[in-house]
């Protein structure tokens, strides 16, 4: 053997050893980041400060209160800038669910909107339950709701949207990046239509925030729902962006916090933590590119297995960078998840929200999957913390789980 060849093999061997060592160190792999994310250590540190040191009530006029107030107003500024809006248009809530409830109920209940006879809301068949269930409830109160169809990749039809708008239409509410299938709607085009037809435009951007461009002005948005725990921030904190001049009533009445629009003592630690999470995401934009590369590599590996199909947008530029949703024909998603769970790899079948309802996903039905295909689908959602070693390890484990299950399946 030539010396060169020996050296080359030694180097390759070392690389392999290093790789194996990293593999051996993997204790668990969290691939359910669309359900929630690990809170960043810097976020926890920031929150701790507002629990252990500067724990004053932001409404108190003494120094301790002032420090809390400063934290809240600083957070408002950071978040406002991140979506190209103004501080006075940012309102803190208890999370994405509350923000969605407030946006739709607040518009519908508003006295002026009622006087104008506006009682029609347009949404889609693939919204998060915190929009769909509000719409169902509003129907009982006399609202008329149109649920737009989506194509097999999960995109709405802009022509159908335009056709649905009439002089009673109050608002259009359409999710930005989808929590199950990752499809990103074209908010710019939707916003143009809404502006032209003079109807309010709301988007649920919990999943897309910090992962793809979100610009309140460019997209003509009147209302935006955001939350903390999908972006490595705390749970139980959210934002509703309300464009100045929007006719909307409060959802929660009381002590008059947030300019009388959302009462309740401000959750200062969570607000400061959310702002920190936003800052971190903005200062490391390369994370999105890294996730895109990893996503593409994982998709390639999975799709190379037999009888698999990617659900959602096939064009990855119109798909959330952390989302992979796949159908493995003829085997149960739950069984795959069970095998992976035994290997301490955590993925999801259906969305976290739909899974405790034991209902089949509205979204998967809307993109044309039948019951068998829905049951055979899994969602893998990576994060900025996911490594190449983890994704390789996962792909191998997934492959062997699928092979085992295919051997057992009566259809194969
Ligand atoms: C998680 C999520 C919500 C709900 O937000 P919470 O803060 O958990 O109440 C709403 N919409 C989408 C798209 C989500 O992903």
């Amino acid at each position: 053997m030539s010396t060169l060849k020996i050296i080359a093999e030694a180097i390759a061997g070392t690389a392999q050893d290093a790789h194996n060592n990293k593999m051996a160190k993997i204790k668990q792999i969290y691939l359910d980041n669309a359900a929630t994310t690990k809170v960043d250590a810097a976020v926890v540190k920031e929150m701790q400060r507002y629990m252990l040191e500067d724990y004053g009530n932001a409404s108190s006029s003494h120094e301790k209160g002032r420090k809390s107030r400063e934290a809240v107003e600083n957070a408002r500024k950071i978040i406002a800038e991140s979506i190209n809006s103004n501080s006075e248009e940012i309102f803190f809530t208890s999370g994405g669910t509350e923000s969605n409830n407030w946006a739709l109920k607040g518009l519908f209940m508003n006295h002026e909107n009622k006087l104008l006879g506006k009682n029609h809301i347009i949404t889609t068949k693939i919204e998060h339950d915190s929009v769909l269930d509000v719409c169902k409830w509003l129907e009982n109160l006399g609202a008329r709701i149109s649920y737009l169809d989506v194509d097999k990749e999960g995109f709405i039809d802009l022509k159908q949207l335009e056709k649905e708008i009439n002089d009673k239409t109050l608002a259009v509410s359409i999710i930005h990046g989808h929590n199950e299938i990752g499809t990103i709607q074209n908010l710019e085009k939707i916003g143009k239509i809404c502006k032209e037809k003079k109807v309010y435009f709301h988007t649920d951007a919990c999943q897309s925030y910090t992962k793809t461009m979100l610009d309140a002005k460019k997209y003509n948005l009147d209302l935006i729902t955001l939350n903390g725990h999908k972006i490595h921030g705390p749970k139980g904190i959210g934002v509703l962006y309300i464009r100045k001049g929007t006719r909307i009533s409060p959802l929660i009445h009381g002590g008059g916090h947030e300019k009388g629009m959302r009462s309740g003592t401000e959750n200062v630690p969570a607000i400061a933590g959310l702002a920190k999470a936003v800052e971190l995401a903005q200062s490391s934009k390369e994370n999105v590119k890294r996730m895109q590369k990893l996503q593409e590599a994982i998709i390639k590996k999975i799709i190379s297995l037999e009888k698999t199909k990617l659900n959602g947008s096939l064009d990855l530029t119109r798909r959330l960078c952390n989302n992979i949703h796949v159908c493995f024909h003829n085997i149960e998603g739950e069984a795959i998840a069970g095998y992976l769970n035994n290997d301490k790899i955590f993925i999801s079948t259906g969305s976290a929200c739909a899974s405790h309802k034991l209902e089949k996903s509205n979204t998967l039905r809307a993109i044309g999957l039948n019951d068998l295909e829905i049951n055979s689908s899994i969602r893998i959602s990576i994060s900025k913390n996911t490594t190449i070693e983890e994704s390789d390890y996962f792909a191998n484990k997934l492959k062997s789980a699928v092979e085992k299950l295919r051997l057992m399946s009566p259809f194969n």
Side-chain angles (χ1 to χ4, degrees):
M1 210 187 274
S2 80
T3 326
L4 264 184
K5 204 170 169 203
I6 292 170
I7 293 171
E9 276 183 7
I11 291 170
T14 322
Q16 189 61 46
D17 283 352
H19 186 71
N20 288 345
N21 281 342
K22 275 192 186 157
M23 289 289 200
K25 268 192 224 131
I26 292 173
K27 293 225 168 64
Q28 56 172 43
I29 304 180
Y30 184 74
L31 297 172
D32 197 13
N33 289 282
T36 195
T37 55
K38 179 176 172 176
V39 182
D40 270 321
V43 169
V44 175
K45 195 168 159 230
E46 188 75 2
M47 292 179 73
Q48 211 171 359
R49 172 179 164 193
Y50 292 100
M51 289 191 272
L52 297 178
E53 289 165 50
D54 299 326
Y55 48 79
N57 187 318
S59 299
S60 299
S61 53
H62 49 65
E63 191 188 314
K64 250 193 169 21
R66 275 208 318 275
K67 283 200 172 161
S68 288
R69 171 57 53 200
E70 272 168 31
V72 171
E73 296 317 320
N74 181 47
R76 215 187 293 283
K77 192 159 168 274
I78 290 167
I79 293 157
E81 279 170 11
S82 75
I83 56 168
N84 191 19
S85 66
N86 302 315
S87 288
E88 73 222 51
E89 298 171 311
I90 299 297
F91 295 86
F92 292 108
T93 68
S94 66
T97 299
E98 184 187 323
S99 295
N100 283 340
N101 269 264
W102 182 11
L104 298 177
K105 291 177 186 173
L107 287 176
F108 183 77
M109 301 288 186
N110 181 274
H111 189 61
E112 286 169 80
N113 291 335
K114 282 217 166 113
L115 287 180
L116 292 167
K118 305 270 185 188
N119 68 348
H120 174 224
I121 295 171
I122 302 173
T123 186
T124 74
K125 291 183 176 168
I126 62 165
E127 296 300 309
H128 189 266
D129 280 344
S130 56
V131 165
L132 282 181
D133 283 9
V134 171
C135 286
K136 273 185 224 152
W137 188 76
L138 289 177
E139 276 180 296
N140 291 330
L141 296 184
R144 202 173 75 70
I145 315 281
S146 301
Y147 300 91
L148 300 178
D149 299 313
V150 292
D151 65 19
K152 55 187 198 311
E153 292 181 57
F155 293 103
I156 67 151
D157 175 355
L158 295 167
K159 293 222 172 66
Q160 192 194 8
L161 168 64
E162 249 183 311
K163 246 194 275 170
E164 286 293 336
I165 300 176
N166 61 47
D167 57 1
K168 290 236 158 64
T169 307
L170 170 62
V172 168
S173 177
I174 293 176
I175 188 166
H176 190 200
H178 199 270
N179 48 303
E180 285 171 79
I181 55 173
T183 303
I184 301 172
Q185 304 294 334
N186 191 332
L187 295 194
E188 192 171 1
K189 286 192 176 156
I190 299 170
K192 277 209 179 92
I193 295 172
C194 292
K195 190 174 182 190
E196 198 188 295
K197 304 263 185 181
K198 297 195 173 62
V199 298
Y200 287 127
F201 180 23
H202 166 246
T203 192
D204 174 354
C206 288
Q207 293 285 342
S208 60
Y209 189 36
T210 74
K211 293 191 195 78
T212 188
M213 218 246 290
L214 179 60
D215 187 315
K217 292 204 176 84
K218 191 171 177 201
Y219 298 167
N220 289 315
L221 281 154
D222 300 293
L223 298 144
I224 305 175
T225 291
L226 305 171
N227 71 357
H229 74 98
K230 307 288 169 61
I231 61 163
H232 305 279
K235 294 175 181 61
I237 188 72
V239 162
L240 185 63
Y241 153 81
I242 305 178
R243 190 182 51 75
K244 207 173 166 212
T246 303
R247 292 182 299 267
I248 185 168
S249 301
L251 181 68
I252 295 180
H253 299 83
H257 307 77
E258 299 287 286
K259 289 182 280 177
M261 290 298 280
R262 203 284 186 180
S263 289
T265 302
E266 292 90 343
N267 185 350
V268 182
I271 290 170
L274 167 60
K276 191 69 179 179
V278 173
E279 273 187 327
L280 287 173
Q282 288 187 321
S283 65
S284 44
K285 289 218 161 92
E286 69 278 2
N287 280 331
V288 170
K289 290 210 179 75
R290 229 179 47 76
M291 281 190 267
Q292 280 166 339
K293 275 196 190 137
L294 213 49
Q295 173 194 44
E296 203 181 334
I298 297 172
I299 289 175
K300 268 198 189 129
K301 275 198 187 143
I302 296 179
I303 295 304
S304 72
L305 301 175
E306 254 177 76
K307 293 181 196 155
T308 56
K309 193 185 88 197
L310 184 65
N311 298 321
S313 175
L314 302 178
D315 172 359
L316 297 188
T317 65
R318 297 201 288 165
R319 187 180 188 111
L320 290 172
C321 60
N322 67 336
N323 173 288
I324 298 157
H325 201 287
V326 221
C327 175
F328 296 87
H329 291 284
N330 300 339
I331 51 175
E332 291 263 341
E334 283 296 341
I336 301 174
Y339 266 105
L340 293 174
N341 186 58
N342 289 341
D343 286 323
K344 298 238 180 310
I345 299 172
F346 310 122
I347 58 141
S348 157
T349 57
S351 73
C353 319
S355 58
H356 56 76
K357 282 191 170 172
L358 291 175
E359 280 171 10
K360 294 237 187 325
S361 156
N362 291 319
T363 299
L364 300 183
R365 236 188 247 302
I367 60 170
L369 267 59
N370 63 33
D371 281 2
L372 278 173
E373 289 168 324
I374 293 175
N375 285 341
S376 309
S377 294
I378 62 169
R379 179 186 70 190
I380 299 128
S381 45
I382 59 175
S383 82
K384 62 177 182 178
N385 299 324
T386 310
T387 65
I388 295 173
E389 286 79 18
E390 285 179 331
S391 73
D392 285 348
Y393 184 84
F394 156 72
N396 289 336
K397 291 285 184 187
L398 176 67
K399 185 165 181 268
S400 68
V402 170
E403 278 164 2
K404 273 183 214 156
L405 287 164
R406 287 230 185 280
L407 282 177
M408 284 187 239
S409 165
F411 300 104
N412 288 283

